[in-house]
Amino acid sequence: MATLKDAVYGLAVGDALGVPFEFKARGTFRATGMVGFGTHRQQPGTWSDDTSMTLATCYSIKRAGGIDLDDMMDCFQSWLHEGDFTVEGKVFDVGGTTSTAISHRKGEDGQWSNGNGSLMRIVPLAFLPDVSRGQVESVSALTHAHEISKEACVIFVGAARGLLAGKTVMEAVGEGFSLSKNPVFGRLPSIDQVSARDIKSSGYVVDTLEAAVWAAATTKSYEECVLRAVNLGEDTDTVGALAGALAGILYGWEGIPKKWIAGLRNRPLIDSCLF
């Protein structure tokens, strides 16, 4: 069975692959490997807020011995305000909803607060025994408290747990989708049949979830999955990260190209946060 390490390294590599291309339109670039600079002028192998917040989540679970919402928010504040859980002590990419929620220690619940800032950090919960729907929703609600964001997290954790149980991507996604009653997620059970041109890769949580699942469901290796995800354009780091997390579970540590793992910056920090 896959481990948290497989998922988190899968996520971090996908994130780092996407960082140089964030906000670029589909078809204006071609990601083929781990490069640097680009949008955020970062060195190759640099990961962003997606991995930082995932590591903060992992570290809190490790430190508290489970889900402690106050402790988790403390970790998020340490990241945002002090640069903890980053490659080199600097935050260079953070969403507005996330920043506001962490600064005020209160999740945003408006209709326009459905970015992917809670979805991108939720996968560690799939590795907790008997995690409940309410716990997943509460962890999402630390920053993103609208029902759509919370349900997206429930679906993703359900799908990840399905993969851990040995199901195919579409079987696992169907299992996750069964936990939702919101029609906004209605394409997920047949997302593998949707053409690339109809897949959106924006920062809207539904688009991000669809794009990541689509990349995992329509490819046959870790490398193919994350490159397909990043090359969708727009929110390349988050779509790459979430597709990478799913692919990390599917194909394991051994399935991630070793040159990409070797190129990933500050791996000791990643290892120190895993529970």
Side-chain angles (χ1 to χ4, degrees):
M1 180 183 287
T3 66
L4 178 65
K5 180 178 180 178
D6 299 321
V8 171
Y9 267 91
L11 182 147
V13 169
D15 181 9
L17 287 167
V19 162
F21 306 106
E22 190 176 15
F23 310 129
K24 293 184 181 294
R26 190 178 309 180
T28 64
F29 68 94
R30 191 69 188 166
T32 59
M34 194 169 285
V35 299
F37 306 99
T39 301
H40 296 287
R41 306 299 299 168
Q42 299 293 316
Q43 294 181 38
T46 301
W47 30 270
S48 72
D49 55 334
D50 305 86
T51 303
S52 290
M53 294 199 77
T54 300
L55 294 180
T57 300
C58 289
Y59 183 79
S60 175
I61 291 169
K62 181 178 182 178
R63 179 167 71 181
I67 295 173
D68 181 319
L69 298 177
D70 286 334
D71 185 79
M72 202 170 285
M73 183 60 87
D74 288 343
C75 289
F76 293 163
Q77 289 194 319
S78 295
W79 160 69
L80 182 63
H81 300 308
E82 300 172 30
D84 291 349
F85 308 107
T86 64
V87 168
E88 53 185 3
K90 294 186 293 185
V91 176
F92 65 86
D93 185 24
V94 57
T97 297
T98 296
S99 178
T100 299
I102 293 173
S103 295
H104 296 161
R105 294 186 73 96
K106 184 178 187 300
E108 299 284 297
D109 61 2
Q111 178 70 35
W112 299 104
S113 300
N114 279 310
N116 52 30
S118 63
L119 181 66
M120 69 187 190
R121 58 176 165 82
I122 207 69
V123 75
L125 273 63
F127 293 85
L128 292 175
D130 302 319
V131 67
S132 70
R133 179 192 184 102
Q135 287 176 307
V136 175
E137 290 180 341
S138 294
V139 170
S140 172
L142 288 172
T143 55
H144 293 69
H146 191 275
E147 290 304 315
I148 290 176
S149 289
K150 292 191 294 185
E151 284 204 35
C153 290
V154 169
I155 291 169
F156 194 83
V157 170
R161 291 175 72 88
L163 293 179
L164 288 169
K167 297 182 184 297
T168 67
V169 175
M170 293 311 299
E171 288 171 344
V173 170
E175 200 163 274
F177 176 74
S178 70
L179 302 172
S180 171
K181 295 182 175 62
N182 196 320
V184 75
F185 299 108
R187 294 206 307 176
L188 282 175
S190 57
I191 198 69
D192 60 329
Q193 302 302 310
V194 177
S195 66
R197 68 176 178 273
D198 293 323
I199 295 293
K200 298 177 182 179
S201 48
S202 76
Y204 174 45
V205 68
V206 177
D207 289 348
T208 302
L209 177 60
E210 287 187 346
V213 171
W214 176 84
T218 59
T219 53
K220 297 186 181 302
S221 70
Y222 177 89
E223 181 174 355
E224 185 186 6
C225 174
V226 292
L227 291 179
R228 180 165 290 185
V230 170
N231 282 309
L232 288 171
E234 295 190 61
D235 204 350
T236 51
D237 57 337
T238 305
V239 175
L242 290 171
L246 295 176
I249 296 172
L250 274 169
Y251 305 109
W253 169 268
E254 292 301 318
I256 304 173
K258 295 299 170 284
K259 61 184 177 182
W260 291 352
I261 291 176
L264 202 60
R265 300 181 69 197
N266 206 345
R267 282 178 289 153
L269 174 60
I270 297 175
D271 292 335
S272 72
C273 293
L274 300 177
F275 57 81

